[in-house]
Amino acid sequence: MGNNIEAIADDYYNLGKYEKSLSIYQRILDNLMAKSKDSRKIAMIMNKIADTKCRLGFPRDGLKLHQQLLEILMKNDGEGSLDVAITYNCIGVAYHEEQALHFLMKSQEILLKNHSSEEELIAANYYDIAQVLKVKGEPQRALSYYQQAIEIARKHKKRGSKTLLASSLHGLGNIYIDLMNLNEAKTSLKESLNIRISLYGNKHHEVAKVLCSLGIVAYLEGNYVEALDYHKKGLEIRINTHGESHSEVARSHQHIAMVYSELKNYQDALKNYKKSLEIYEANKIKTVDVANNCKSLGELYFTQKKYHEAMGYYIKGFELFSNLRRPGYLTLETFECSSQIAKLFQIQENYTETIHYLTVCLELAETEKRKKEAQEIILKMIHVYELQNDFTSVERLSSKLKQI
């Protein structure tokens, strides 16, 4: 009975209904604490509660619970225990990038050294490491870990292993997209889709995720009608699962807008970009997806010579990219937004702001050692100064141009 109740909680968790899953996990834990001495089961449920709190937007509470449990386990069982390895994994999943990688690698070290027979846990940890490496922008390393997870998951027939196999194939497919290996991407994604449909049926939000990725592949191949079909199917599932205001719904609208833009259907492109942005802003999301959305709206309005609207969205995108940017990451997107803003200010004959944004472009180009782009920006700045008859600045920049 207890396992059935836990399975229900797991299903709620997988559906993104975290409050319901948390309530059930808490009841299970209370019951275990009162009646059971199964310390491993208690540890597993505590980790699930902590992870669910992280998902609900209370990462500090979740991490605190994970860390409290880790201290208890280290004291009672020693660092090499299986439960310690599992808890290291949970802490890693809750953290981001470098901190995450540290704990996940610690978990893997214990698993491989002391618990090599726990293949399904090892495979799950490989998957989690791959996910972190993908976010860190290390696709080749991520690729290797996804492949190791897949190799192990294929050997096991339990539902959990099939779920992991589908997730790992999906992750692998997305890595192949990043590497523009679209044939391999399609192969992995279609296998993932078939497994998820067999597990959940064809109306599940995990199915929608793979449909979205297949839509991206079709888009990159130039098969826009096929891409639109994938994204619309994904959107329908996401709306039915999450409602109209979920971030995944916003992401589907954004991809649909991209396809409509390529099909020159600018009216539907604008409609979907705006709907996407509306949902992102309602959820106070400020990610790269939102920045790209603003940039795309700016591009659409610029194409239609609606410069006032274009300016507003380009500035929004520029501000988001600037806040998210770090060396080697989002430099091009920030540069492109700043360049377009400069162009729009020049159309308005606002040369002070034109120079300001061109200077931002120049700084970005110099920081990233992009010589050609730096030369092009200096030439644009010289032209603007010539329009203002500011020949001192023209001479200064001409001298700088010779030095590059």
Side-chain angles (χ1 to χ4, degrees):
M1 182 68 178
N3 287 337
N4 290 337
I5 294 172
E6 187 180 343
I8 292 169
D10 291 343
D11 285 340
Y12 277 129
Y13 179 92
N14 290 329
L15 286 168
K17 297 180 179 179
Y18 301 123
E19 289 181 357
K20 287 187 176 181
S21 64
L22 181 61
S23 174
I24 298 172
Y25 287 141
Q26 191 63 59
R27 277 164 42 205
I28 295 170
L29 179 62
D30 292 343
N31 188 54
L32 286 170
M33 297 292 281
K35 299 179 181 179
S36 174
K37 294 183 180 180
D38 188 344
S39 60
R40 185 178 180 195
K41 187 66 178 177
I42 289 169
M44 289 176 67
I45 296 298
M46 286 181 71
N47 273 325
K48 286 185 177 184
I49 289 171
D51 182 49
T52 308
K53 286 186 175 182
C54 291
R55 298 284 183 171
L56 280 167
F58 303 105
R60 289 183 182 178
D61 292 345
L63 277 169
K64 186 177 178 182
L65 188 55
H66 281 314
Q67 287 162 344
Q68 286 173 345
L69 177 59
L70 182 62
E71 287 179 18
I72 295 168
L73 292 169
M74 293 274 278
K75 183 178 179 181
N76 294 339
D77 302 339
E79 188 176 10
S81 79
L82 183 60
D83 290 329
V84 167
I86 292 169
T87 305
Y88 272 132
N89 171 273
C90 291
I91 294 171
V93 171
Y95 269 122
H96 295 287
E97 297 194 16
E98 287 303 331
Q99 287 176 302
L101 206 55
H102 167 77
F103 286 105
L104 291 171
M105 289 297 188
K106 191 75 177 172
S107 175
Q108 199 70 349
E109 179 186 337
I110 296 168
L111 288 169
L112 292 173
K113 183 178 179 181
N114 300 333
H115 309 282
S116 58
S117 62
E118 297 286 348
E119 288 193 338
E120 289 166 289
L121 290 176
I122 291 169
N125 206 63
Y126 279 139
Y127 168 79
D128 292 330
I129 292 169
Q131 291 286 87
V132 173
L133 291 170
K134 183 181 188 303
V135 173
K136 283 181 86 243
E138 298 184 39
Q140 292 294 349
R141 286 183 71 196
L143 191 76
S144 172
Y145 280 99
Y146 279 130
Q147 288 170 335
Q148 290 179 81
I150 289 165
E151 182 181 350
I152 296 171
R154 285 195 192 281
K155 291 160 44 178
H156 298 273
K157 303 302 179 185
K158 291 180 183 177
R159 182 181 176 89
S161 289
K162 288 182 179 179
T163 301
L164 177 63
L165 177 58
S167 296
S168 299
L169 285 164
H170 185 202
L172 183 65
N174 285 334
I175 288 291
Y176 280 131
I177 290 173
D178 292 342
L179 297 172
M180 287 302 291
N181 189 339
L182 300 183
N183 287 331
E184 291 290 348
K186 272 195 291 191
T187 300
S188 296
L189 292 170
K190 285 183 177 179
E191 185 179 356
S192 176
L193 181 66
N194 290 334
I195 296 169
R196 283 184 168 168
I197 289 172
S198 72
L199 288 169
Y200 310 121
N202 59 8
K203 300 296 182 184
H204 195 274
H205 70 100
E206 292 292 339
V207 171
K209 289 180 182 179
V210 188
L211 290 171
C212 178
S213 294
L214 283 165
I216 293 169
V217 172
Y219 173 86
L220 292 171
E221 290 178 328
N223 298 325
Y224 301 125
V225 174
E226 182 182 348
L228 197 59
D229 183 56
Y230 278 126
H231 286 307
K232 283 187 173 181
K233 285 177 180 175
L235 175 63
E236 182 183 353
I237 295 169
R238 284 171 166 171
I239 290 173
N240 289 335
T241 304
H242 303 302
E244 295 273 1
S245 302
H246 195 274
S247 60
E248 293 295 323
V249 173
R251 194 165 287 113
S252 284
H253 278 298
Q254 187 169 359
H255 285 298
I256 288 168
M258 289 168 63
V259 178
Y260 275 132
S261 185
E262 292 296 332
L263 292 169
K264 311 298 182 190
N265 184 342
Y266 298 129
Q267 184 176 351
D268 282 332
L270 281 170
K271 177 183 172 183
N272 279 277
Y273 274 131
K274 285 184 175 181
K275 182 64 177 175
S276 175
L277 186 59
E278 177 188 320
I279 297 169
Y280 283 137
E281 290 182 339
N283 286 284
K284 297 181 180 178
I285 296 170
K286 297 181 179 180
T287 61
V288 174
D289 284 336
V290 188
N292 277 319
N293 201 330
C294 293
K295 179 173 174 282
S296 296
L297 278 163
E299 289 167 353
L300 277 175
Y301 277 119
F302 187 88
T303 300
Q304 297 174 66
K305 297 185 179 180
K306 295 181 178 179
Y307 298 136
H308 178 75
E309 291 90 342
M311 176 78 81
Y313 286 114
Y314 273 128
I315 288 174
K316 267 189 181 181
F318 171 77
E319 290 172 350
L320 285 166
F321 282 130
S322 296
N323 290 332
L324 293 165
R325 195 181 73 82
R326 60 179 184 265
Y329 179 65
L330 297 180
T331 300
L332 177 61
E333 292 84 352
T334 311
F335 179 95
E336 288 174 344
C337 277
S338 187
S339 178
Q340 286 299 103
I341 294 166
K343 187 182 293 185
L344 287 163
F345 274 123
Q346 188 170 342
I347 290 169
Q348 295 176 1
E349 298 184 2
N350 184 337
Y351 298 130
T352 301
E353 289 297 323
T354 303
I355 289 295
H356 169 73
Y357 282 98
L358 287 174
T359 301
V360 171
C361 289
L362 182 58
E363 289 170 356
L364 290 169
E366 289 178 334
T367 299
E368 297 296 324
K369 295 181 171 56
R370 291 176 173 267
K371 182 177 177 181
K372 181 181 177 183
E373 286 85 348
Q375 290 172 331
E376 289 172 353
I377 292 299
I378 290 172
L379 288 171
K380 289 179 181 179
M381 293 174 76
I382 288 172
H383 176 64
V384 174
Y385 280 126
E386 285 174 341
L387 292 173
Q388 297 176 281
N389 295 320
D390 182 351
F391 296 110
T392 302
S393 295
V394 169
E395 186 175 341
R396 173 177 57 82
L397 285 170
S398 296
S399 176
K400 184 180 179 70
L401 187 61
K402 292 176 183 177
Q403 295 170 11
I404 293 179

